[in-house]
């Protein structure tokens, strides 16, 4: 390694108050966007779902957009000694704004939740999911302010850009193509799913076929196979006893 100036990789380097458990908790929460990137990759490989892949692509696009805006505006962070680079807009707030908005739109417009059979419980569960999702994004945004990485101006703009990007991206890649399959966006989505590369990679759009993305059907198939496998040892034991 050369003897020149060194830089810190600020990806997981978070400063917090060592005497405060609350500060430690926020420091851990503020790292959650990094974990989400790993989750995107794992889900994309495991499920091959079109929705997961395009949501991930939008997230990466948002990170690139944030970099461009930061270097165009060049607004400093509130505390210069904390964090690297510029502060406007907050990338963490933008990240979570996009994530929460895109996912909330999908659950509202497309996804069917499993039912308990009691309508009020179903409604409470939906409210809990939406509240948890938006609360998560809010806590991450607050952590950036509390830990001194951004001021409220930078956080508000980051969250706003993320929410706008999440809604716009969902509108373009999922909602409009689904509602208007013969439109330009609908045909583009069809080509993305039907081309030879997507076929080879086994990319699928589960929500185009099943309201829950195929989760219940997959579970029922697993349950049937599992129960059949559980019965076989018993039959063999009875045969040996005879």
């Amino acid at each position: 390694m050369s003897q020149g100036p060194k830089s810190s990789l600020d990806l997981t380097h978070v400063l917090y108050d060592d005497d405060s458990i609350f500060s430690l908790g926020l420091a851990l929460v503020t790292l959650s966007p990094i974990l989400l990137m790993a989750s995107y990759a794992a889900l994309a490989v495991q499920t091959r779902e079109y929705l997961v892949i395009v949501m991930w692509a939008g997230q990466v696009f948002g990170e690139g957009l944030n970099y461009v805006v930061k270097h165009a505006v060049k607004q400093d962070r509130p505390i210069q000694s904390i964090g690297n680079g510029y502060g406007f807009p907050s990338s963490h707030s933008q990240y979570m704004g996009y994530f929460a908005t895109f996912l909330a739109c999908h659950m509202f417009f497309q996804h069917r939740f499993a039912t308990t059979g009691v309508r009020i419980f179903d409604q409470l569960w939906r409210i809990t999911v939406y509240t948890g999702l938006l609360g998560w994004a809010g806590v991450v945004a607050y952590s950036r302010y509390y830990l001194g990485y951004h001021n409220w101006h930078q956080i508000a703009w980051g969250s706003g850009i993320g929410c706008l990007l999440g809604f716009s991206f969902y509108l373009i890649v999922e909602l409009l193509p689904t509602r208007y399959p013969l439109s330009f966006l609908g045909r583009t989505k069809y080509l993305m799913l039907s081309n030879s590369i997507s076929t080879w990679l086994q990319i699928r759009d589960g929500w185009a076929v099943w309201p829950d993305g195929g989760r219940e059907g997959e579970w029922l198939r697993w349950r049937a196979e599992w129960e059949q496998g559980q019965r076989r040892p018993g039959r063999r034991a009875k045969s040996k006893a005879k």
Side-chain angles (χ1 to χ4, degrees), residues 17-36:
D17 183 359
D18 192 34
D19 295 327
S20 172
I21 296 178
F22 181 70
S23 182
L24 173 60
L26 289 179
L28 294 174
V29 169
T30 205
L31 293 174
S32 56
I34 299 172
L35 301 179
L36 281 177

PDB file of all heavy atoms in Angstrom, residues 17-36:
ATOM      1  N   ASP A  17     -23.075   7.805  20.408  1.00  0.00           N
ATOM      2  CA  ASP A  17     -22.746   8.083  21.805  1.00  0.00           C
ATOM      3  C   ASP A  17     -22.570   6.761  22.555  1.00  0.00           C
ATOM      4  O   ASP A  17     -23.532   6.008  22.727  1.00  0.00           O
ATOM      5  CB  ASP A  17     -23.864   8.922  22.436  1.00  0.00           C
ATOM      6  CG  ASP A  17     -23.540   9.317  23.879  1.00  0.00           C
ATOM      7  OD1 ASP A  17     -22.466   8.927  24.380  1.00  0.00           O
ATOM      8  OD2 ASP A  17     -24.367  10.020  24.488  1.00  0.00           O
ATOM      9  N   ASP A  18     -21.358   6.498  22.999  1.00  0.00           N
ATOM     10  CA  ASP A  18     -21.054   5.215  23.640  1.00  0.00           C
ATOM     11  C   ASP A  18     -21.770   5.043  24.971  1.00  0.00           C
ATOM     12  O   ASP A  18     -21.918   3.926  25.467  1.00  0.00           O
ATOM     13  CB  ASP A  18     -19.538   5.103  23.842  1.00  0.00           C
ATOM     14  CG  ASP A  18     -19.115   3.703  24.230  1.00  0.00           C
ATOM     15  OD1 ASP A  18     -19.741   2.746  23.751  1.00  0.00           O
ATOM     16  OD2 ASP A  18     -18.169   3.563  25.035  1.00  0.00           O
ATOM     17  N   ASP A  19     -22.250   6.131  25.559  1.00  0.00           N
ATOM     18  CA  ASP A  19     -22.928   6.063  26.853  1.00  0.00           C
ATOM     19  C   ASP A  19     -24.445   5.906  26.729  1.00  0.00           C
ATOM     20  O   ASP A  19     -25.146   5.858  27.738  1.00  0.00           O
ATOM     21  CB  ASP A  19     -22.637   7.329  27.662  1.00  0.00           C
ATOM     22  CG  ASP A  19     -21.164   7.457  28.020  1.00  0.00           C
ATOM     23  OD1 ASP A  19     -20.519   6.408  28.229  1.00  0.00           O
ATOM     24  OD2 ASP A  19     -20.657   8.589  28.076  1.00  0.00           O
ATOM     25  N   SER A  20     -24.953   5.838  25.507  1.00  0.00           N
ATOM     26  CA  SER A  20     -26.396   5.799  25.289  1.00  0.00           C
ATOM     27  C   SER A  20     -26.802   4.550  24.511  1.00  0.00           C
ATOM     28  O   SER A  20     -26.354   4.334  23.387  1.00  0.00           O
ATOM     29  CB  SER A  20     -26.850   7.049  24.518  1.00  0.00           C
ATOM     30  OG  SER A  20     -28.194   6.947  24.130  1.00  0.00           O
ATOM     31  N   ILE A  21     -27.662   3.733  25.128  1.00  0.00           N
ATOM     32  CA  ILE A  21     -28.191   2.551  24.439  1.00  0.00           C
ATOM     33  C   ILE A  21     -29.096   2.995  23.287  1.00  0.00           C
ATOM     34  O   ILE A  21     -29.134   2.363  22.232  1.00  0.00           O
ATOM     35  CB  ILE A  21     -28.962   1.652  25.423  1.00  0.00           C
ATOM     36  CG1 ILE A  21     -28.007   1.111  26.494  1.00  0.00           C
ATOM     37  CG2 ILE A  21     -29.642   0.505  24.682  1.00  0.00           C
ATOM     38  CD1 ILE A  21     -28.671   0.251  27.537  1.00  0.00           C
ATOM     39  N   PHE A  22     -29.825   4.091  23.500  1.00  0.00           N
ATOM     40  CA  PHE A  22     -30.692   4.638  22.452  1.00  0.00           C
ATOM     41  C   PHE A  22     -29.868   5.012  21.224  1.00  0.00           C
ATOM     42  O   PHE A  22     -30.252   4.719  20.084  1.00  0.00           O
ATOM     43  CB  PHE A  22     -31.436   5.850  22.981  1.00  0.00           C
ATOM     44  CG  PHE A  22     -32.383   6.483  21.996  1.00  0.00           C
ATOM     45  CD1 PHE A  22     -33.550   5.837  21.621  1.00  0.00           C
ATOM     46  CD2 PHE A  22     -32.100   7.725  21.458  1.00  0.00           C
ATOM     47  CE1 PHE A  22     -34.420   6.413  20.710  1.00  0.00           C
ATOM     48  CE2 PHE A  22     -32.967   8.314  20.556  1.00  0.00           C
ATOM     49  CZ  PHE A  22     -34.130   7.660  20.178  1.00  0.00           C
ATOM     50  N   SER A  23     -28.724   5.645  21.448  1.00  0.00           N
ATOM     51  CA  SER A  23     -27.845   6.022  20.350  1.00  0.00           C
ATOM     52  C   SER A  23     -27.307   4.792  19.629  1.00  0.00           C
ATOM     53  O   SER A  23     -27.227   4.769  18.391  1.00  0.00           O
ATOM     54  CB  SER A  23     -26.680   6.861  20.872  1.00  0.00           C
ATOM     55  OG  SER A  23     -25.839   7.274  19.821  1.00  0.00           O
ATOM     56  N   LEU A  24     -26.967   3.751  20.373  1.00  0.00           N
ATOM     57  CA  LEU A  24     -26.505   2.502  19.769  1.00  0.00           C
ATOM     58  C   LEU A  24     -27.610   1.884  18.915  1.00  0.00           C
ATOM     59  O   LEU A  24     -27.360   1.389  17.806  1.00  0.00           O
ATOM     60  CB  LEU A  24     -26.076   1.518  20.857  1.00  0.00           C
ATOM     61  CG  LEU A  24     -25.731   0.094  20.394  1.00  0.00           C
ATOM     62  CD1 LEU A  24     -24.574   0.106  19.411  1.00  0.00           C
ATOM     63  CD2 LEU A  24     -25.398  -0.793  21.597  1.00  0.00           C
ATOM     64  N   GLY A  25     -28.839   1.900  19.441  1.00  0.00           N
ATOM     65  CA  GLY A  25     -29.961   1.350  18.681  1.00  0.00           C
ATOM     66  C   GLY A  25     -30.157   2.074  17.363  1.00  0.00           C
ATOM     67  O   GLY A  25     -30.378   1.448  16.315  1.00  0.00           O
ATOM     68  N   LEU A  26     -30.075   3.401  17.387  1.00  0.00           N
ATOM     69  CA  LEU A  26     -30.225   4.169  16.152  1.00  0.00           C
ATOM     70  C   LEU A  26     -29.067   3.928  15.202  1.00  0.00           C
ATOM     71  O   LEU A  26     -29.245   3.939  13.972  1.00  0.00           O
ATOM     72  CB  LEU A  26     -30.344   5.664  16.472  1.00  0.00           C
ATOM     73  CG  LEU A  26     -31.653   6.101  17.142  1.00  0.00           C
ATOM     74  CD1 LEU A  26     -31.625   7.603  17.413  1.00  0.00           C
ATOM     75  CD2 LEU A  26     -32.863   5.756  16.275  1.00  0.00           C
ATOM     76  N   ALA A  27     -27.880   3.705  15.751  1.00  0.00           N
ATOM     77  CA  ALA A  27     -26.725   3.399  14.905  1.00  0.00           C
ATOM     78  C   ALA A  27     -26.932   2.077  14.163  1.00  0.00           C
ATOM     79  O   ALA A  27     -26.545   1.935  12.997  1.00  0.00           O
ATOM     80  CB  ALA A  27     -25.451   3.340  15.747  1.00  0.00           C
ATOM     81  N   LEU A  28     -27.556   1.106  14.831  1.00  0.00           N
ATOM     82  CA  LEU A  28     -27.850  -0.173  14.188  1.00  0.00           C
ATOM     83  C   LEU A  28     -28.957  -0.018  13.141  1.00  0.00           C
ATOM     84  O   LEU A  28     -28.881  -0.589  12.053  1.00  0.00           O
ATOM     85  CB  LEU A  28     -28.250  -1.210  15.242  1.00  0.00           C
ATOM     86  CG  LEU A  28     -27.158  -1.609  16.229  1.00  0.00           C
ATOM     87  CD1 LEU A  28     -27.730  -2.516  17.309  1.00  0.00           C
ATOM     88  CD2 LEU A  28     -26.007  -2.310  15.501  1.00  0.00           C
ATOM     89  N   VAL A  29     -29.988   0.760  13.485  1.00  0.00           N
ATOM     90  CA  VAL A  29     -31.091   0.977  12.546  1.00  0.00           C
ATOM     91  C   VAL A  29     -30.612   1.691  11.292  1.00  0.00           C
ATOM     92  O   VAL A  29     -31.058   1.386  10.182  1.00  0.00           O
ATOM     93  CB  VAL A  29     -32.220   1.793  13.223  1.00  0.00           C
ATOM     94  CG1 VAL A  29     -33.242   2.246  12.190  1.00  0.00           C
ATOM     95  CG2 VAL A  29     -32.895   0.967  14.303  1.00  0.00           C
ATOM     96  N   THR A  30     -29.688   2.632  11.456  1.00  0.00           N
ATOM     97  CA  THR A  30     -29.229   3.417  10.311  1.00  0.00           C
ATOM     98  C   THR A  30     -28.446   2.564   9.315  1.00  0.00           C
ATOM     99  O   THR A  30     -28.236   2.985   8.172  1.00  0.00           O
ATOM    100  CB  THR A  30     -28.363   4.604  10.799  1.00  0.00           C
ATOM    101  OG1 THR A  30     -28.413   5.649   9.821  1.00  0.00           O
ATOM    102  CG2 THR A  30     -26.923   4.196  11.024  1.00  0.00           C
ATOM    103  N   LEU A  31     -28.021   1.362   9.740  1.00  0.00           N
ATOM    104  CA  LEU A  31     -27.322   0.441   8.840  1.00  0.00           C
ATOM    105  C   LEU A  31     -28.273  -0.457   8.056  1.00  0.00           C
ATOM    106  O   LEU A  31     -27.827  -1.185   7.165  1.00  0.00           O
ATOM    107  CB  LEU A  31     -26.353  -0.438   9.646  1.00  0.00           C
ATOM    108  CG  LEU A  31     -25.147   0.251  10.295  1.00  0.00           C
ATOM    109  CD1 LEU A  31     -24.394  -0.734  11.176  1.00  0.00           C
ATOM    110  CD2 LEU A  31     -24.231   0.827   9.233  1.00  0.00           C
ATOM    111  N   SER A  32     -29.568  -0.418   8.362  1.00  0.00           N
ATOM    112  CA  SER A  32     -30.515  -1.339   7.729  1.00  0.00           C
ATOM    113  C   SER A  32     -30.591  -1.226   6.206  1.00  0.00           C
ATOM    114  O   SER A  32     -30.817  -2.244   5.537  1.00  0.00           O
ATOM    115  CB  SER A  32     -31.911  -1.180   8.346  1.00  0.00           C
ATOM    116  OG  SER A  32     -32.372   0.146   8.262  1.00  0.00           O
ATOM    117  N   PRO A  33     -30.414  -0.036   5.604  1.00  0.00           N
ATOM    118  CA  PRO A  33     -30.408  -0.004   4.133  1.00  0.00           C
ATOM    119  C   PRO A  33     -29.337  -0.893   3.512  1.00  0.00           C
ATOM    120  O   PRO A  33     -29.544  -1.448   2.424  1.00  0.00           O
ATOM    121  CB  PRO A  33     -30.162   1.478   3.815  1.00  0.00           C
ATOM    122  CG  PRO A  33     -30.746   2.201   4.981  1.00  0.00           C
ATOM    123  CD  PRO A  33     -30.423   1.332   6.159  1.00  0.00           C
ATOM    124  N   ILE A  34     -28.198  -1.045   4.195  1.00  0.00           N
ATOM    125  CA  ILE A  34     -27.146  -1.923   3.676  1.00  0.00           C
ATOM    126  C   ILE A  34     -27.614  -3.367   3.689  1.00  0.00           C
ATOM    127  O   ILE A  34     -27.371  -4.131   2.744  1.00  0.00           O
ATOM    128  CB  ILE A  34     -25.865  -1.752   4.509  1.00  0.00           C
ATOM    129  CG1 ILE A  34     -25.376  -0.310   4.427  1.00  0.00           C
ATOM    130  CG2 ILE A  34     -24.775  -2.712   4.049  1.00  0.00           C
ATOM    131  CD1 ILE A  34     -24.226   0.001   5.357  1.00  0.00           C
ATOM    132  N   LEU A  35     -28.318  -3.752   4.750  1.00  0.00           N
ATOM    133  CA  LEU A  35     -28.852  -5.112   4.829  1.00  0.00           C
ATOM    134  C   LEU A  35     -29.917  -5.351   3.767  1.00  0.00           C
ATOM    135  O   LEU A  35     -30.059  -6.466   3.258  1.00  0.00           O
ATOM    136  CB  LEU A  35     -29.428  -5.362   6.225  1.00  0.00           C
ATOM    137  CG  LEU A  35     -28.454  -5.212   7.401  1.00  0.00           C
ATOM    138  CD1 LEU A  35     -29.176  -5.462   8.717  1.00  0.00           C
ATOM    139  CD2 LEU A  35     -27.276  -6.161   7.254  1.00  0.00           C
ATOM    140  N   LEU A  36     -30.661  -4.306   3.430  1.00  0.00           N
ATOM    141  CA  LEU A  36     -31.691  -4.441   2.402  1.00  0.00           C
ATOM    142  C   LEU A  36     -31.078  -4.760   1.042  1.00  0.00           C
ATOM    143  O   LEU A  36     -31.663  -5.501   0.249  1.00  0.00           O
ATOM    144  CB  LEU A  36     -32.531  -3.166   2.321  1.00  0.00           C
ATOM    145  CG  LEU A  36     -33.596  -2.991   3.392  1.00  0.00           C
ATOM    146  CD1 LEU A  36     -34.299  -1.645   3.235  1.00  0.00           C
ATOM    147  CD2 LEU A  36     -34.617  -4.125   3.324  1.00  0.00           C
TER     148      LEU A  36
END
